[in-house]
């Protein structure tokens, strides 16, 4: 200051500003005159006529970098710069940018401003997700508080002290845990009962005629007509199993809470239920042969319903696998296991098709098998293409699992062909009997039990409302649906043991062999592929239809 006012007379500045203008105007004019000396360095006109972005030495680029570093240090240590300098750095830089005429360039190329915009958008997104999570947590907390309050009211004795409520609530939670564990254990016991029933049905079919003295006192059991042995014996055992599980379904209908009496009936009283099971099987041998024949006709329909329920359960499981293991950008899920499973199932699908061709369609005369394998390969390819379509976009995992499933059904249908066919490998196995027949039969029975068990516990696949939250005292699975599936499963295993045909001889140690069984599996395969394709396409069709319905409404509103 003394350089320009050597005598220290600062009144000249103030008097001049009073008479001619403000101090700010004089300071800006003085600064502008001082910047004229550095204008050639800090504001150079590009030689090419275009703006230099990477090699620019203009002041607005320098100040943009300085401002970014200054703000970064201020955020790390707020007391380091801002409290000492305040906003003077920003004001000085903006003044120089303005006097050099670079304000438009600074607004266009200031990367600090761009970072602030990005941060603002990200913060808005994060705040929105946090608010939605808070609302969900608040609703779940309210439900949990309501459950806890209800548990405390039921657990607290009349006139009891408030200090005893947490103790009672803890005891109630322990009781719920024990009851839930008993309920989950009970379903395996029912599965074992179903497995023993399958073994008993096989024994009655193949070896029941060797023990005629046991049932000689029953008038409806005739050795001439085999009303209680072979196919008739299988239907009677199946009918007894159907009666037992139907009674269990009726007696457990409407059970929802673990403290319900029906939950105790589901998980306990095994001696009484064993007596009920034996009585149901024994009663089935008292019905006349005509009634059992009628039951066999109804069992065909029941077995078809069971296959449909099993198919819905399989598709629900495939959807769960797709949502659980495939990559997801929203949840930042890697999906490495899903990609591995997708590769494995694709190899299994097309490798299985090649193996079936080499084993069962090796001769040109096996036209039927060639058609089945070719059509299965076409269905697998169609499902893959539709699943990868841009409007569907469901990925490869679900289509690869479904492709493996229909390949398995194709192989199973060819396996069910009569052994007299020259294209069936079972022709050689039918002529001899060894331990492989026993293992095949046991594997088939275990597959029947597992299919029935997995469908019975998957009641969520058949719920119309998927958003129902389960509380602590709710039963772990629907008891009535579980037993109903086992009752229908009894009809299903009866059809498998008699090859879907009554009054038709069956070979020992065989199951589900014959043209009727073959066509049932073929239709099941084609229906499975059709249902899966409809599940993929239906959301797109419904969405397009809703848009087509909304467009005329929008046009009408616009015209109004």
């Amino acid at each position: 200051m003394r350089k320009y006012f050597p005598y220290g007379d600062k009144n000249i500045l103030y008097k001049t500003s009073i008479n001619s203008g403000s101090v700010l105007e004089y300071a800006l004019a003085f600064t502008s005159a001082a910047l004229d000396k550095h204008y050639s360095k800090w504001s150079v006109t590009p030689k090419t006529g275009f703006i230099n972005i990477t090699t620019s030495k203009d002041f607005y680029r320098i100040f943009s970098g300085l401002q970014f570093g200054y703000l970064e240090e201020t955020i790390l240590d707020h007391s380091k710069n801002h409290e000492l300098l305040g906003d003077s750095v920003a004001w000085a830089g903006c003044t120089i940018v303005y006097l050099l005429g670079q304000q438009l360039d600074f607004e266009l190329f200031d990367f600090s401003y761009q970072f602030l915009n990005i941060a603002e958008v990200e913060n808005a997104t994060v705040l929105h997700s946090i608010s939605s999570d808070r609302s969900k947590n608040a609703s779940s907390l309210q439900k949990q508080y309501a459950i806890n309050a209800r548990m405390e009211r039921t657990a607290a004795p009349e006139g009891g002290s408030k200090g005893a409520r947490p103790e009672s609530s803890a005891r109630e939670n322990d009781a719920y845990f024990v009851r839930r564990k008993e309920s989950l254990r009970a379903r395996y016991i029912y599965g074992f009962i179903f497995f023993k029933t399958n073994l008993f049905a096989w024994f009655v079919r193949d070896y029941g005629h060797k023990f005629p003295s046991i049932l000689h006192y029953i008038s409806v059991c005739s050795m001439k007509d085999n009303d209680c042995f072979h196919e008739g014996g299988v239907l009677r055992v199946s009918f007894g199993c159907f009666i037992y599980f139907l009674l269990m379904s009726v007696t457990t209908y409407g059970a929802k809470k673990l403290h319900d009496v029906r939950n105790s009936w589901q998980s306990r009283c095994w001696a009484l239920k064993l007596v009920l099971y034996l009585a149901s099987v024994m009663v089935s041998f008292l019905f006349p042969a005509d009634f059992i024949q009628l039951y066999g006709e109804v069992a065909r329909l029941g077995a078809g319903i069971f296959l449909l329920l099993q198919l819905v359960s399989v598709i629900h499981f495939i959807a769960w696998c797709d949502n659980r293991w495939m990559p997801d950008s929203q949840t930042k899920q890697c999906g490495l296991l899903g990609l591995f499973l997708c590769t494995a199932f694709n190899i299994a699908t097309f490798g299985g098709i090649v193996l079936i061709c080499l084993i069962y369609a090796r001769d040109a005369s096996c036209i039927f098998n060639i058609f089945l394998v070719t059509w299965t390969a076409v269905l697998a390819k169609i499902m893959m293409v539709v699943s990868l379509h841009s409007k569907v976009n469901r990925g490869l995992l679900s289509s690869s699992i479904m492709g493996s499933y229909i390949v398995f059904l194709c192989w199973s249908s060819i396996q069910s062909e009569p052994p007299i066919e020259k294209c069936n490998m079972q022709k050689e196995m039918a002529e001899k009997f060894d331990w492989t027949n026993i293992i095949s039969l046991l594997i088939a029975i275990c597959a029947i039990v597992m299919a029935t068990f997995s469908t019975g516990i998957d009641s969520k696949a058949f719920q119309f409302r998927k958003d129902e939250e389960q509380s602590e005292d709710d039963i772990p699975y629907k008891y009535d649906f579980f037993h109903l599936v086992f009752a229908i499963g009894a009809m299903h295993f009866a059809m498998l043991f008699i090859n879907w045909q009554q009054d038709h001889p069956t070979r020992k140690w065989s199951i589900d062999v014959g043209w009727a069984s073959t066509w049932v599996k073929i239709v099941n395969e084609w229906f499975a592929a059709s249902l899966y394709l409809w599940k993929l396409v239906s959301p797109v069709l419904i969405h397009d239809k809703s848009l087509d319905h909304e467009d005329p409404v929008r046009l009408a509103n616009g015209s109004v």
Side-chain angles (χ1 to χ4, degrees):
M1 201 69 174
R2 289 185 178 274
K3 181 179 179 180
Y4 300 100
F5 301 98
Y7 301 103
D9 191 3
K10 304 178 182 62
N11 292 329
I12 299 176
L13 175 62
Y14 294 108
K15 289 180 180 179
T16 304
S17 63
I18 293 173
N19 297 327
S20 60
S22 63
V23 178
L24 178 61
E25 183 180 357
Y26 177 80
L28 292 175
F30 181 80
T31 306
S32 177
L35 290 175
D36 289 341
K37 300 177 183 180
H38 307 283
Y39 184 81
S40 59
K41 297 181 180 179
W42 286 356
S43 183
V44 181
T45 303
K47 296 179 181 180
T48 59
F50 298 97
I51 299 176
N52 292 328
I53 298 177
T54 57
T55 61
S56 175
K57 297 181 180 180
D58 294 346
F59 178 77
Y60 74 89
R61 298 288 291 175
I62 299 173
F63 178 64
S64 180
L66 291 174
Q67 186 184 28
F68 183 78
Y70 172 75
L71 292 175
E72 185 179 11
E73 292 182 358
T74 303
I75 292 174
L76 296 176
D77 189 0
H78 191 270
S79 62
K80 186 175 181 181
N81 293 326
H82 194 267
E83 291 185 358
L84 297 176
L85 302 176
D87 297 331
S88 59
V89 177
W91 279 106
C94 292
T95 301
I96 296 174
V97 168
Y98 175 77
L99 293 176
L100 292 175
Q102 299 176 359
Q103 64 271 22
L104 295 179
D105 297 331
F106 177 76
E107 293 176 359
L108 182 61
F109 294 105
D110 180 29
F111 42 82
S112 298
Y113 180 72
Q114 303 297 331
F115 280 120
L116 290 174
N117 287 337
I118 295 173
E120 183 178 358
V121 173
E122 289 181 350
N123 290 333
T125 306
V126 171
L127 290 175
H128 178 71
S129 62
I130 290 175
S131 62
S132 61
D133 293 340
R134 285 179 178 176
S135 62
K136 292 180 180 178
N137 293 334
S139 61
S140 62
L141 284 175
Q142 289 177 358
K143 293 180 180 179
Q144 188 63 35
Y145 289 153
I147 293 172
N148 292 337
R150 183 176 58 189
M151 290 172 59
E152 290 178 0
R153 286 194 301 268
T154 55
E158 294 183 0
S161 61
K162 294 183 179 180
R165 286 185 178 180
E167 237 180 277
S168 303
S169 179
R171 287 196 299 269
E172 193 74 21
N173 292 336
D174 293 340
Y176 287 152
F177 176 76
V178 172
R179 292 171 184 173
R180 181 182 294 272
K181 192 174 181 180
E182 290 178 350
S183 176
L184 293 175
R185 192 188 302 118
R187 57 184 183 176
Y188 296 105
I189 299 176
Y190 290 115
F192 180 74
I193 293 173
F194 193 77
F195 175 74
K196 298 292 287 186
T197 307
N198 278 260
L199 290 179
F200 182 58
W202 158 78
F203 180 81
V204 171
R205 186 196 69 175
D206 290 354
Y207 297 100
H209 63 280
K210 294 184 178 181
F211 303 92
S213 59
I214 299 177
L215 299 177
H216 71 281
Y217 54 87
I218 301 178
S219 59
V220 297
C221 294
S222 174
M223 288 298 299
K224 296 180 180 180
D225 299 329
N226 295 326
D227 293 333
C228 295
F229 309 104
H230 299 297
E231 290 77 15
V234 171
L235 291 176
R236 289 182 183 275
V237 175
S238 170
F239 182 60
C241 184
F242 171 79
I243 293 175
Y244 172 73
F245 282 107
L246 184 62
L247 289 175
M248 290 299 302
S249 177
V250 172
T251 53
T252 57
Y253 177 77
K256 295 182 179 180
K257 301 298 181 182
L258 291 173
H259 54 75
D260 196 341
V261 178
R262 287 164 290 189
N263 177 72
S264 300
W265 169 245
Q266 165 74 10
S267 309
R268 302 172 184 174
C269 307
W270 291 109
L272 180 60
K273 285 186 286 190
L274 179 60
V275 173
L276 179 62
Y277 170 76
L278 295 176
S280 300
V281 176
M282 292 174 63
V283 166
S284 65
F285 284 87
L286 301 178
F287 285 87
D290 295 336
F291 181 84
I292 297 301
Q293 292 290 329
L294 178 62
Y295 169 76
E297 299 297 332
V298 176
R300 284 199 182 97
L301 177 61
I305 296 174
F306 176 83
L307 293 176
L308 179 60
L309 295 178
Q310 181 184 2
L311 180 58
V312 173
S313 179
V314 169
I315 294 179
H316 179 260
F317 173 74
I318 291 174
W320 178 84
C321 293
D322 188 58
N323 296 330
R324 178 66 178 83
W325 292 327
M326 286 304 290
D328 191 355
S329 58
Q330 296 181 353
T331 59
K332 297 181 180 179
Q333 184 172 295
C334 176
L336 188 61
L337 179 60
L339 296 177
F340 171 76
L341 292 176
C342 178
T343 305
F345 277 108
N346 275 318
I347 294 175
T349 300
F350 295 102
I353 291 174
V354 173
L355 287 177
I356 294 174
C357 287
L358 294 176
I359 297 175
Y360 298 101
R362 53 189 175 183
D363 192 356
S365 60
C366 302
I367 300 176
F368 185 72
N369 291 351
I370 294 174
F371 167 73
L372 289 181
V373 177
T374 305
W375 184 241
T376 300
V378 171
L379 288 177
K381 190 65 177 179
I382 291 175
M383 289 189 298
M384 183 181 297
V385 171
V386 174
S387 180
L388 292 176
H389 195 272
S390 58
K391 290 187 176 181
V392 178
N393 195 21
R394 292 305 301 266
L396 278 174
L397 181 59
S398 62
S399 61
S400 60
I401 298 177
M402 197 64 192
S404 300
Y405 181 67
I406 65 171
V407 169
F408 166 75
L409 291 178
C410 176
W411 169 81
S412 181
S413 62
I414 295 177
Q415 281 287 103
S416 296
E417 293 178 359
I420 59 176
E421 296 295 323
K422 63 179 181 180
C423 298
N424 195 342
M425 297 294 293
Q426 289 192 5
K427 181 180 179 181
E428 302 175 0
M429 298 178 61
E431 299 174 355
K432 59 181 180 178
F433 175 79
D434 54 7
W435 59 271
T436 56
N437 299 80
I438 302 175
I439 294 178
S440 301
L441 178 67
L442 291 177
I443 292 175
I445 293 176
C446 290
I448 295 171
V449 176
M450 287 300 299
T452 309
F453 182 83
S454 60
T455 307
I457 62 176
D458 192 18
S459 58
K460 293 183 179 180
F462 305 94
Q463 290 180 355
F464 294 100
R465 293 184 59 185
K466 305 293 184 181
D467 56 346
E468 294 182 358
E469 295 185 3
Q470 190 173 14
S471 60
E472 188 177 8
D473 58 342
D474 286 344
I475 58 177
Y477 55 96
K478 300 295 184 182
Y479 300 152
D480 49 356
F481 178 80
F482 177 80
H483 292 294
L484 182 62
V485 170
F486 270 76
I488 302 175
M491 297 181 175
H492 178 243
F493 84 71
M495 291 296 104
L496 297 182
F497 277 110
I498 66 174
N499 302 328
W500 296 82
Q501 293 178 339
Q502 299 189 51
D503 300 327
H504 190 274
T506 55
R507 186 168 50 89
K508 284 185 178 181
W509 297 91
S510 67
I511 183 173
D512 202 18
V513 176
W515 282 116
S517 301
T518 300
W519 278 107
V520 166
K521 293 179 180 179
I522 292 173
V523 173
N524 189 25
E525 174 195 344
W526 296 348
F527 188 75
S530 302
L531 187 60
Y532 174 75
L533 289 173
W534 171 250
K535 185 177 177 60
L536 294 178
V537 177
S538 59
V540 180
L541 297 178
I542 294 173
H543 179 69
D544 293 342
K545 187 176 181 180
S546 62
L547 291 179
D548 294 339
H549 179 69
E550 290 177 1
D551 287 340
V553 176
R554 291 178 181 176
L555 292 174
N557 293 334
S559 62
V560 172

